[in-house]
Amino acid sequence: MAAPLPVALEGADPTFADLIAARPALSAHALDGLLMEEVPLARIAREVGTPTWVYSAGTLRRRFRALRAALDGAGLRASIHYAAKANDNQAVLRVLAAEGAGADIVSAGELRATLAAGIPAGATVFSGVGKQPDEIRLALREGIFQINAESAEEIEMLSAIAAGMGLRAPVALRVNPDVDARTHAKITTGKAENKFGIAFGDAHALYAQMAALPGIRPIGIATHIGSQITEGVAAYRAAYARLAEMVRGLRGAGLPVERVDCGGGLGIPYRDEAPPPPEALAGAIKATLGELGLPVMLEPGRWIAGPAGVLLASVVLQKQGHARRFVVADAAMNDLVRPAMYEAWHGILPVSPSALAAPCSPADVVGPVCETGDTFARGRALPALPPGDLIAFLDAGAYGAVMSSTYNARPLAAEVLVDGARFAVVRPRQTPEDLLAHQRLPEWLTPAAGTFPGAAPPA
């Protein structure tokens, strides 16, 4: 039985009802409160504790299938390579591997993680501006599907390493189309001043040079213009049109082009954004690259994993200041850093059925870390939340746990996967002992008790 949901304070923010309605994995029950799929979040908090990341397997599957259907519906020969940097939990990777996802990785650690989850190197793209020689050797030994080269210097390194191994590295040239995706400055990647890729004007000559090098098999071109793109597909169309122009030029010069890597970056609605649907992205690819007759690749991360997760937290206390009410949670910026790093907006829902239906007033939601930046929201419409009440930070499935730290000596939170009516801990909560387990003292720093003036002598 669904719980009645109040209209929140007037303003630009979505109501609780709006937030839940837009997220199919969530529902409000009159007795159990907020549910992820069929599991009450309060039950997870009782059994696992807080803070805890909670992921919906059903959402991962649903969103992957929606993207697959959009690409197929446009008549594209397309492969989907999930960007492991968004969420590299083994359970998340295994759910997507079972759906037929390949991987996009940016480190040897991510390659090992995706291999362990059942995604073969032959379905994996290795991106990133700073691949190290040992990482390249590992990728080549494992039979990597594609390496996206981002500089002339990297191409020379790839050539030397692959030739020394008696191999030919499958290399795509990452081209910077100098397109502004109109996203946050810290996650834009396709403008001329960004560190990524080869300048468009230099790419043709460099591709020709690459084709002449030993140990290199040039296979195509790649691009990625940014993350959390929500303002239509115009930027995609502009970038892909430039790629199509380049492919025609390379072919005209007799150079081989096997495929085009279209990158990722499609945004999700954290607040009230209206990002383009996957059908619009597929249409942009079809309109600009379709006539080339080449396979295309996509590298989504946030679009698949973001809406699949919440960060479940408990209220430590409410602090009433002269002008502001503060809700202090046991989750902090070391858990979910996006609000502090990107000024990101995340929906916040109370979990209990009574709180979901209670009157709201403005509150700042903060964590216990000793930083003013440890603030999740300001002036958010929330009910009274006494100590012990639960709250859920929405759309935290991407760039959440993977960006966590142990700042302030705070152990890493647990991670849970929900699948229908069942759930399981997929990463146990770190313990305080774990924080010290891998530290070592040099032999000259033997423990010395009672040296602080006034310290009590050892018992």
Side-chain angles (χ1 to χ4, degrees), residues 446-458:
T446 56
T451 58
F452 183 78

Side-chain angles (χ1 to χ4, degrees), residues 142-330:
E142 293 290 342
I144 198 78
F145 178 65
Q146 177 173 305
I147 298 175
N148 288 346
E150 308 224 12
S151 66
E153 294 80 1
E154 183 183 3
I155 290 169
E156 292 178 3
M157 181 171 62
L158 284 166
S159 172
I161 291 172
M165 296 175 68
L167 300 172
R168 295 182 72 207
V171 180
L173 191 65
R174 177 168 173 177
V175 178
N176 186 333
D178 196 19
V179 168
D180 185 358
R182 298 180 63 81
T183 187
H184 193 284
K186 292 180 181 178
I187 53 176
T188 184
T189 59
K191 298 170 66 176
E193 64 266 26
N194 297 138
K195 69 179 181 180
F196 302 96
I198 307 297
F200 186 86
D202 299 334
H204 185 115
L206 185 56
Y207 196 95
Q209 293 172 24
M210 182 173 75
L213 287 174
I216 298 287
R217 178 168 70 91
I219 56 174
I221 57 176
T223 196
H224 182 76
I225 60 174
S227 184
Q228 186 52 11
I229 298 170
T230 59
E231 295 191 12
V233 295
Y236 283 119
R237 290 180 69 100
Y240 298 157
R242 300 206 83 187
L243 293 193
E245 173 190 342
M246 178 165 292
V247 169
R248 293 185 184 100
L250 293 172
R251 283 174 158 177
L255 295 167
V257 180
E258 297 179 22
R259 53 184 176 258
V260 177
D261 186 342
C262 296
L266 191 61
I268 64 172
Y270 285 101
R271 187 177 187 174
D272 53 7
E273 305 93 334
E279 291 79 7
L281 177 58
I285 296 171
K286 179 73 171 180
T288 52
L289 299 169
E291 292 184 0
L292 299 176
L294 292 173
V296 297
M297 304 157 55
L298 272 80
E299 297 162 0
R302 182 196 316 268
W303 195 86
I304 290 175
V310 303
L311 175 59
L312 183 59
S314 296
V315 175
V316 177
L317 55 84
Q318 286 190 110
K319 173 183 175 180
Q320 185 59 57
H322 286 291
R324 310 184 77 86
R325 173 170 66 114
F326 296 91
V327 174
V328 184
D330 63 355

Side-chain angles (χ1 to χ4, degrees), residues 11 53 55 61 80 87 90 100-101 238 250 315 383 386 392 408 411:
W53 304 94
Y55 308 129
R61 296 186 188 105
I80 301 173
N87 187 323
Q90 281 289 291
L250 293 172
V315 175
N408 280 195

